[in-house]
Amino acid sequence: LNLKKKPKDEIARAVGEMLELVSLAGYQQRWPSQLSGGERQRIALARALVNEPVILLLDEPLGALDKRLRELMQRELKAIQKRTGITFIHVTHDQDEAMTMSDRVAVMNAGRVEQLGSPEELYERPKTKFVAHFIGACNFFDGKFISHSGSVVEADTTLGRLRVELSAAGIELAEQGKLSLGIRPERISMQGGEAGDNRFLGRIEEITFNGAESNYRVQVEKTELRVTELNTGRRAVSLFVGDTVEVSVPPGSIFLLEG
């Protein structure tokens, strides 16, 4: 602001407003050495915002922070963006950070945009294996189109015979022959229940406890499945390595991948 030769009273007003925006009101007389890492990040943000940009580019702004501080700054940045209405373009290699903070996400691969959409769209309906794998854990199957009835496609896959619910565009793509399919680990069930489509017997090869959830590696014929269950305490029977289980793959949770 000094370089722009702004009047002193205007500078004082703008500085006060920016410090209040980033929750550092009253810090005008602090030296950088007196600030924490998170406070320095907020000052850097205020320094950029005080010029009232139309678009603000943030290039890995939270990369050097520890987990707790990074999560705090994620919330702060999102709140500031909402208050100012300025478009933030946030570059990050942290998938969780991208999904948590963004209204729209562009996943880039080898210098090109692989897919652009909302976090929900990229997670629930990724278009390619790269996006599906980059955004989160995923099970993949190769297959061959057999037939379709309405919105349901029947396919012969490496997992077995699968019924898959697809949109009209998905059915058109499936009819070309070879298929590449995917499903998220938490969409697969091992809870048993009523008979239905896409049920297979498998053997538990590995169990990993991760606090809020447990991750299972289940061998179904020649295919290995990753299954995730929330540890809610609702499971009636405990599972162990070596147990035979019935896995259910919901037709509506399977997505068709391009290429």
Side-chain angles (χ1 to χ4, degrees):
L1 298 177
N2 283 324
L3 290 173
K4 290 185 175 181
K5 303 187 186 308
K6 298 284 186 181
K8 287 187 177 180
D9 59 339
E10 186 178 331
I11 290 176
R13 178 189 57 78
V15 168
E17 288 177 355
M18 283 300 110
L19 288 177
E20 188 169 345
L21 180 67
V22 298
S23 302
L24 290 176
Y27 279 54
Q28 284 90 330
Q29 304 305 317
R30 299 280 183 100
W31 291 93
S33 61
Q34 296 175 298
L35 301 176
S36 68
E39 288 168 348
R40 293 182 193 182
Q41 292 287 67
R42 294 187 201 182
I43 290 295
L45 183 63
R47 192 164 56 239
L49 289 172
V50 77
N51 291 311
E52 300 180 349
V54 177
I55 297 174
L56 182 64
L57 174 63
L58 300 112
D59 187 5
E60 299 276 6
L62 310 180
L65 304 180
D66 62 42
K67 185 177 186 295
R68 184 194 64 80
L69 190 53
R70 187 165 62 248
E71 290 174 350
L72 173 63
M73 283 303 300
Q74 286 175 7
R75 294 194 296 271
E76 291 283 348
L77 281 173
K78 195 166 185 178
I80 290 169
Q81 190 280 320
K82 296 296 183 187
R83 290 202 295 271
T84 62
I86 295 172
T87 296
F88 284 16
I89 298 179
H90 187 118
V91 180
T92 179
H93 285 84
D94 187 319
Q95 293 92 330
D96 291 338
E97 186 171 292
M99 299 291 277
T100 300
M101 298 183 65
S102 304
D103 298 306
R104 300 179 77 204
V105 179
V107 178
M108 299 190 70
N109 180 21
R112 59 182 290 272
V113 175
E114 192 96 353
Q115 186 173 348
L116 173 65
S118 67
E120 294 83 0
E121 181 184 347
L122 266 61
Y123 187 80
E124 299 292 349
R125 288 290 180 264
K127 290 184 178 179
T128 66
K129 276 189 176 183
F130 179 86
V131 174
H133 184 69
F134 189 77
I135 292 298
C138 192
N139 294 289
F140 298 109
F141 323 112
D142 291 324
K144 180 181 178 182
F145 173 81
I146 297 174
S147 63
H148 81 86
S149 176
S151 63
V152 178
V153 167
E154 193 162 338
D156 190 13
T157 75
T158 49
L159 181 64
R161 186 68 62 92
L162 281 179
R163 290 169 60 82
V164 185
E165 291 182 12
L166 297 175
S167 64
I171 291 172
E172 185 177 342
L173 183 62
E175 287 177 330
Q176 296 178 13
K178 290 184 178 180
L179 304 179
S180 181
L181 304 166
I183 187 170
R184 299 295 183 186
E186 70 275 11
R187 299 289 191 253
I188 300 174
S189 172
M190 297 189 299
Q191 295 287 355
E194 297 180 3
D197 294 329
N198 303 341
R199 289 179 176 268
F200 309 93
L201 289 179
R203 182 181 186 274
I204 296 177
E205 300 292 338
E206 182 180 63
I207 302 175
T208 305
F209 177 79
N210 190 25
E213 63 186 33
S214 289
N215 298 296
Y216 299 84
R217 185 163 55 86
V218 182
Q219 193 71 33
V220 179
E221 297 292 341
K222 296 181 179 179
T223 301
E224 182 179 285
L225 289 179
R226 295 178 65 180
V227 182
T228 298
E229 285 190 346
L230 291 177
N231 293 322
T232 59
R234 296 179 182 176
R235 172 171 283 284
V237 180
S238 297
L239 296 176
F240 302 94
V241 172
D243 284 352
T244 297
V245 292
E246 183 182 58
V247 295
S248 174
V249 183
S253 297
I254 303 170
F255 42 78
L256 179 62
L257 299 161
E258 298 175 0

